[in-house]
Amino acid sequence: MFNEILASFETGVTNVSNFLWGGQWNDSQVLPIAPLVLLLLGTGLYFMIRLGFRPLRRLGPAIGAVWAGRKGNGDPSAITPFQALTTALSGQVGTGNIVGVATAITLGGPGAVFWMWITAIFGMALAFAESSLAIKYRERDEYGRLNGGPMYYITNGLGKHWKWLAVLFCIGTIISATATGGMIQANGITQNIMAEMQPFGMNVPTWAIGITLSVLVFIVIIGGIKSIGGVAEKLVPAMAVLYVVTVSYTHLTLPTNREV
């Protein structure tokens, strides 16, 4: 009985996922284009036009403002613009951007890169709109700290009767952070460490790696956004440089298969 319920649940989740991302239901094509693709590209295009292409026109001044404001405005409860940028990047760059790109090229061919560029350009408008709303509807709590995000601009922007949607967003974020943000990342780190240690005859227990990661994450997040921003502004630039250097070195040193 339990196996039947589990199988039915898995089938339902698969159907919903295939419908949202591929327009399929029960392995049958019911829509010519995936609803989420249309929604993401359409919403991004809408915001880009409504904003007068501001994310593109003002990209240079925005970068200058971030760099000039890396010292902050002296507010002890706020992080600097540069820390805000690196904190946002630390949440944006991950398995989806790295593994997802490789998966897209594998499934869709090199042409998938072009559509990822198009999606990224329109995604700039989405990110700009989200950040602007988060700043406009943010609140200061009883400790003097500024809090913002979708749950705040849903409640304060759309009205109190939409608070259920903000609660639903929070629940979804918790699940996503636990599964895709915690489990997958921790598993990837563990697998890489174990693979690198095997040539040296070292077998590191998985529980030891898990405890170490938990302690390191706890040290960072226990200090709040100030601590997270301070760590992100140091790690994210180093991470980006290391990634580019590693990919470039791998591309130049690995043999190329030129057979047609």
Side-chain angles (χ1 to χ4, degrees), residues 74-98:
D75 187 351
S77 64
I79 59 178
T80 68
F82 185 73
Q83 289 176 336
L85 172 64
T86 53
T87 301
L89 288 176
S90 67
Q92 296 284 347
V93 180
T95 53
N97 303 80
I98 298 174

Side-chain angles (χ1 to χ4, degrees), residues 1-11:
M1 182 65 179
F2 176 77
N3 291 335
E4 293 178 358
I5 296 176
L6 184 62
S8 177
F9 176 76
E10 184 178 353
T11 301

